[in-house]
């Protein structure tokens, strides 16, 4: 049974189950099977140490550990475990920073191991930090596939021991328990002429590819299926012409008017005014609003969100705003609370770290309807959270939420609330329309007045001295600086090393007590994170060092420099998002991109694009072009385009095929009542049920 809750899978206990749920939105077997790899590593090749080059990517080597030593640092945190590793052609080092006792006890000398990872060259010696490794014997026994999938992961997961290896093992367990005869979900009309793999075979091959060819076939089928069902829903809905009923917000009342006339902190831009009008008339029709609000970073979406919420209040409904991280929710809460300060409208913040007692009060007040506005994270989605009458749900930067997660929010409503999705990721309209034909779009295409365009420069690693001097000058003028390191998806250890090394380097260049440097990363507890953020927000820290993109999604107008380390590791839209964190005040702001001297041509184009334009839409267009076929980077999707496996740009051809088959099917069997299409009808139903009301935004 693929609906079996994930905790019943061999190898998953309560603790792992709750992690899988919160970090990957995996709740049952089915979800785990649909956790698709973001990329694959070719492990058909074995390298000799002698053949390694400074530029080698990930390599796999067979050899033995001949010596092990622990190197102490200034403190426990700097301890390293160093193994001398040889394969007969040469020796290299395997290095673990902050090694666990378990590791120290379990590494064996003089036993053949297969190690896998990225190497770096230092003083003539290659070293591999935090290798993935197993004994040769294990390797030969376990190895199901030489083309190894890399799954999406988070810092928290790998920290708690749910590594790539563990995820692979868990998926293997499902196939062992369930076999691979899963119900077929595509109609015969497609399977036969397109020579598609069966559902079960495709799922198996995508996780354990037996060859490149089978992998391609599996991907083809699964992507096609995903696109087919999206098209099918859309085409069927249009065909049957169902528009969902929604709450008619007829009134513009005191809440809106008082705020608008007495408490607006600045005059709205024309774009903001236009967008609010669009939202207002959309919510007044009696049909449910499904609207995407696009606006570049810094365009001023928050105030639009607030005014929309006030319209809900005017009509006797509650409103909520959901943000993807604790820090963003905090920031929204503080911002909106201060905007509302003079209005006495009760508002609350609900996140994972809200204390029990406070949480209880909030839950009661939401259910009774006393609380009219709540801001929070995915904690809002929990079953315990019940609204009296939720009329509007706003979702900020929705790409961080899983589709299934979101639907929970409005299960209990009789009618679905109006939905407003705010996104800073510009989606070219043509593309959005081809997929989400009936999703309405509002665009804030004008920045608030008085902004100076951000100056962007690209520099190489070696120029750091000059760059630090520049930072000194800016800080001297009273400005603040962000320094961001990439999050290396598959290795939390490497990300952490990058970050801490960078932090130490900065501490040397900007010594205490004159300077304070805040640091935020995934290993911090929420309170610690919050304390560090607060240092920066209050201006007590001049520099904020961070890994993840979203964690810095805060509004500190005094920050004038965004320094991005290893900028080549970021996608264009991420870079643009990061840059948007500065340039919010009246001062001239800068974005400095630091990269290695060696750059791929795509990376170079990305840097050049960033340097040459500040326009999000233009950047999105380049992004789309760059992400054409053959791109080996992990797919980075965002916004409403967040599909599970297909990529709208690369798989544009597939989209056309899917659409043709879907419209043929609806033409011959609009309600899918023909018994031959029972599997399709059921899949569609399930999809709608699982996605709940959320389904109706697309
Ligand atoms: P985003 O669209 O990225 O969410 P915000 O809503 O956070 O942007 O707004 C960015 C900054 O611009 C905030 O400091 C906000 O107060 C300010 N702002 C928004 N609208 C205006 C406006 N019309 N005039 C002046 N400042 C504005
Ligand atoms: Mg925002």
């Amino acid at each position: 049974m693929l609906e079996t809750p994930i905790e019943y899978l061999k190898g998953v206990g309560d603790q792992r189950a709750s992690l899988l749920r919160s970090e990957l939105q995996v709740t049952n077997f089915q979800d785990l099977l649909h956790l698709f790899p973001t990329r694959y590593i070719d492990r058909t090749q074995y390298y000799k140490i002698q053949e390694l080059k400074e530029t080698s990517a990930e390599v796999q080597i067979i050899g033995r550990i001949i010596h092990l030593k622990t190197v102490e640092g200034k403190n426990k945190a700097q301890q390293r475990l160093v193994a001398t590793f040889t394969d007969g052609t040469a020796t290299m080092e395997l290095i673990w920073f902050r090694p666990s006792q378990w590791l120290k006890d379990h590494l064996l000398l003089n036993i053949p191991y297969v190690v896998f990872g990225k190497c770096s060259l230092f003083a003539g010696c290659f070293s591999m930090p935090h290798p993935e490794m197993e004994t040769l014997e294990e390797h030969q026994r376990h190895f199901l596939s030489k083309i190894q999938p890399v799954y999406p992961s988070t810092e928290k997961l790998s920290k708690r021991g749910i590594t790539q290896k563990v995820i692979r093992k868990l998926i293997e367990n499902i196939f062992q328990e369930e076999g691979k005869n899963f119900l077929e979900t595509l109609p015969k009309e497609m399977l036969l002429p397109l020579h598609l793999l069966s559902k079960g075979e495709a799922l198996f091959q995508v996780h354990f590819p037996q060859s490149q060819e089978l992998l391609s076939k599996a991907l083809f089928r699964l992507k096609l299926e995903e696109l087919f069902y999206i098209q099918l829903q859309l085409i069927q809905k249009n065909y049957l012409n169902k528009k969902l009923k929604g709450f008619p917000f007829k009134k513009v009342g005191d809440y809106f008017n008082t705020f608008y006339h007495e408490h607006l902190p600045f005059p709205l831009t024309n774009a903001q005014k236009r967008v609010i009008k669009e939202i207002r008339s959309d919510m007044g029709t009696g049909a449910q609003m499904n609207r995407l609000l696009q606006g570049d970073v810094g365009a001023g979406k928050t105030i639009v969100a607030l005014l929309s919420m006030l319209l809900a209040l005017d009509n006797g409904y509650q409103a909520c705003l959901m943000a993807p991280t604790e820090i963003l929710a905090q920031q929204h809460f503080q911002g909106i609370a201060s905007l509302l300060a003079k209005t006495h409208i009760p508002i609350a913040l609900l996140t994972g770290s809200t204390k029990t007692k406070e949480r209880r009060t909030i839950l009661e007040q939401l259910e009774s309807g006393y609380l009219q506005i709540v801001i929070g994270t995915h904690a809002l989605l929990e079953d315990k959270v019940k609204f009296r009458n939720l009329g509007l749900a706003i979702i900020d930067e929705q790409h961080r939420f899983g589709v299934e997660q979101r639907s929970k929010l409005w299960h209990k409503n009789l009618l679905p609330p109006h939905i407003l999705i705010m996104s800073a990721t510009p989606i070219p309209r043509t593309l959005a329309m081809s997929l989400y034909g009936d999703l309405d779009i509002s665009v804030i295409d004008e920045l608030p007045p008085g902004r100076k365009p951000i100056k962007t420069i690209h520099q190489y690693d070696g120029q750091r001295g000059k760059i630090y001097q520049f930072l000194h000058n800016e800080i001297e003028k009273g400005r603040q600086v962000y320094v961001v390191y990439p999050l290396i998806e598959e290795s939390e250890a490497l990300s952490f090393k990058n970050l801490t090394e960078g932090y130490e380097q900065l501490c040397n260049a900007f010594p205490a007590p004159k300077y304070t440097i805040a640091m935020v990363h995934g290993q911090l507890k929420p309170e610690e994170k919050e304390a560090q953020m607060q240092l920066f927000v209050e201006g007590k820290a001049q520099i904020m060092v961070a890994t993840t993109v979203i964690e810095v999604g805060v509004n500190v107008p005094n920050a004038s420099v965004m320094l991005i380390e290893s900028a080549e590791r970021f996608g264009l839209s991420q870079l643009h998002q990061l840059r948007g964190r500065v340039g919010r005040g009246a001062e001239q702001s800068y974005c400095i991109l630091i990269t290695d001297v060696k750059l791929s041509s795509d990376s170079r184009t990305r840097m050049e694009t960033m340097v040459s334009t500040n326009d999000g839409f233009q950047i999105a267009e380049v992004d789309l072009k760059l992400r054409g076929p053959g791109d080996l980077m992990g797919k980075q999707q965002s916004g409403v385009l967040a599909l599970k496996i297909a990529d709208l740009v690369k798989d544009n051809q597939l989209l056309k095929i899917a659409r043709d088959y879907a419209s043929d099917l609806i033409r011959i069997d609009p309600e899918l009542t023909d018994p031959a299409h029972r599997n399709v009808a059921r899949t569609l139903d399930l999809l709608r049920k699982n996605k709940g009301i959320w389904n109706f935004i697309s």
Side-chain angles (χ1 to χ4, degrees), residues 333 346-350 358 362 365 371 373-376:
F333 175 72
I347 137 172
L349 174 70
L350 185 69
E358 197 187 340
I362 293 176
Q365 294 181 340
L371 252 183
I373 296 182
V374 64
I375 292 168

Side-chain angles (χ1 to χ4, degrees), residues 266-269 272 296-302 448 451 555 584:
F266 36 68
L268 297 181
T269 61
Q272 284 168 323
D296 214 341
V297 266
K301 295 184 287 295
T302 314
R451 300 268 175 87
N555 191 16
R584 298 182 161 222

Side-chain angles (χ1 to χ4, degrees), residues 306-323:
L306 175 59
L307 286 164
S308 311
M309 293 202 278
L310 294 178
L311 285 172
L313 269 50
D314 274 336
N315 289 275
Y317 292 93
Q318 292 166 296
C320 74
L321 173 78
M322 207 166 33

Side-chain angles (χ1 to χ4, degrees), residues 297-298 301-302 328 332 396-397 422 424 553 581 584:
V297 266
K301 295 184 287 295
T302 314
L328 274 177
H332 270 311
D396 193 14
E397 304 293 352
M422 301 198 288
R581 298 301 146 202
R584 298 182 161 222

